[in-house]
Amino acid sequence: MTFRSTSRALAVTTATLFALAGVTACSTDGNPAGADPDRVDVVAGFYPLQFLAERIGGDAVAVTNLARPGAEPHDLELNPRQVGQISEAKLVVFLHGFQPAVDEAVEQNAGDRAFDVATVQPLLDATAGGHDHDHEGEDHAEEHAAGGGSDGAKDPHVWLDPTRLATIGDQLAERLGSVDPERAGEYTARAGALRTELEKLDAEFTEGLKTCQRREIVVSHTAFGYLTQKYQLEQISVTGLSPEDDPSPQRLAEVIREAREHGATTIFFETLVSPKVAETIAREVGAQTAVLDPIEGLSTENGADYLSVMRTNLQTLRTALSCS
C-alpha cells in the first residue's frame, strides 16, 4: 500500500546507517522520553497519532512526534537522531504508506515494537467519498488516485472520521497495556473517555451537516474521503493524495466546470499547501476561499488540538454549504 512515491524513502537509508553507528549518542540528544524511566517512550509518526498517544497514555507516556509541527508530514525525511528514537522507543505508532521514510525506518529498526494504525480497520479507496460523475481521461484517474493502479490507492486520512479514530484509540490502549501491563487499566479508561468525546464530535457533525443546500465540497487534494463518506458529502478534489501535485489543465477545467455546476460558493485549501490553485478556481467561478484543515501537521502552540480543529472545520463546512 503506497500513497506517495517511495523514492523519497531512500533518503532515510543513509540516516539509518549513521543512527545504527551511534544509537547511544542519539538517546541522549533530543530524546526527552529517555530522561524518565518511569514513562513509556512512544514515537508517533505525525500529529493525529501524537494526539491519540498523549490522550490515551496520559502522564504514563512520553510522546515524540517525528513530524515538525506546522510542516507537511508526507515528505518527512528522518535525521539520525530520529532514527535512533525509533530504534529505542518502546512503541512506535505510525500509518504505513503515509510517510515512506518512517515506513523504512520502522521496518529496519522497530520490529515488533511498531503499531500500524492502518491495520486496525480496512482503509478506504482513494476515490471513496468522491463526486459520482463519470470522469473520463487517464490524467484525472491518475490524479484522483495519486498513482494508484486499477486496484486503487488507499486513502490514509482515517482520522477525519471520529468514530474510526476512536476505534484506533481502543486498539492503541490495548497495545500500550501489553507494553506496560501495570497501567493497562488506566490506558483503557482514558481510551474510553476519549471515545466518548469523539462520539460527541461525530454527533455534532451528523446533526450539523444533516440539512444543507449543497453537499459537494471542492478541495485542494483527496484528503477528505472519510469525512465526506461518513457525513454523506461528496468531495471534488483538484489533485490526488499528494497535496503538492500540480493539476493538469484538463483537471483544472473539469473542477471549474463542476464547481459552477453545483453552485459552489467556497473553494477549500489547506494550511500546509499553497492556496494559489484554490484562488484561481475561486476567481473563475466567483467563489471565496476558506481553509479546511486535514489535521496532518497541526501546530499546537495556539492551544488548538484535534477536537477544536475538527469543530472549526464543521463550522466552515456549514457556512460553505449553507446548512440550516
Side-chain angles (χ1 to χ4, degrees), residues 4 28 50 56 62 90 129 145 148 153 169 182 204 232 271 273 285 295:
R4 303 277 299 159
T28 58
Q50 174 193 357
I56 294 170
K90 292 185 178 178
E182 292 184 0
E204 292 173 17
Q232 291 76 56
T271 54
V273 179
V285 303
I295 322 181

Side-chain angles (χ1 to χ4, degrees), residues 109-122:
N109 301 287
D112 60 2
R113 293 175 292 103
F115 174 62
D116 179 8
V117 303
T119 64
V120 175
Q121 291 181 321

Side-chain angles (χ1 to χ4, degrees), residues 2 117 119 130 136 160 195 200 273 276:
T2 302
V117 303
T119 64
E136 298 180 354
L160 292 177
R195 170 175 282 280
K200 178 182 177 183
V273 179
K276 291 182 179 179

Side-chain angles (χ1 to χ4, degrees), residues 124 129 158-165 197-212 214-217 224-235 306 310 313-314 317 321 323:
L124 296 177
V158 61
W159 59 90
L160 292 177
D161 177 345
T163 61
R164 287 176 179 259
L165 189 64
E197 291 187 65
L198 292 172
E199 289 176 346
K200 178 182 177 183
L201 178 65
D202 171 53
E204 292 173 17
F205 266 82
T206 300
E207 182 63 28
L209 299 174
K210 181 184 297 184
T211 308
C212 305
R214 294 171 296 280
R215 304 207 73 80
E216 300 83 12
I217 60 173
F224 299 94
Y226 292 91
L227 187 149
T228 53
Q229 185 183 79
K230 176 67 174 175
Y231 303 110
Q232 291 76 56
L233 304 176
E234 295 179 355
Q235 70 173 335
Y306 170 86
M310 281 291 283
N313 282 345
L314 173 58
L317 287 168
L321 299 177
C323 303

Side-chain angles (χ1 to χ4, degrees), residues 100-177:
V102 176
D103 293 348
E104 182 174 341
V106 166
E107 181 180 357
Q108 294 180 1
N109 301 287
D112 60 2
R113 293 175 292 103
F115 174 62
D116 179 8
V117 303
T119 64
V120 175
Q121 291 181 321
L123 297 180
L124 296 177
D125 290 337
T127 54
H131 192 47
D132 60 3
H133 278 187
D134 291 330
H135 298 298
E136 298 180 354
E138 293 181 0
D139 287 343
H140 171 64
E142 291 175 359
E143 288 170 1
H144 197 65
S150 59
D151 293 334
K154 296 298 181 180
D155 184 350
H157 304 85
V158 61
W159 59 90
L160 292 177
D161 177 345
T163 61
R164 287 176 179 259
L165 189 64
T167 299
I168 293 171
D170 293 338
Q171 293 293 316
L172 178 57
E174 289 188 16
R175 187 60 183 272
L176 281 169

Side-chain angles (χ1 to χ4, degrees), residues 47 68-74 159-160 219-221 223-224 243-244 267-276 278 289-300 302 304 309-310 312-313 316:
Y47 172 72
R68 181 168 56 86
E72 171 57 56
H74 295 81
W159 59 90
L160 292 177
V219 297
S220 57
H221 91 285
F224 299 94
E244 296 89 0
I267 309 300
F268 294 108
F269 67 96
E270 302 167 19
T271 54
L272 304 181
V273 179
S274 170
K276 291 182 179 179
T289 58
V291 171
L292 192 64
D293 198 331
I295 322 181
E296 295 177 353
L298 183 65
S299 175
T300 58
N302 60 358
V309 175
M310 281 291 283
T312 297
N313 282 345
T316 301

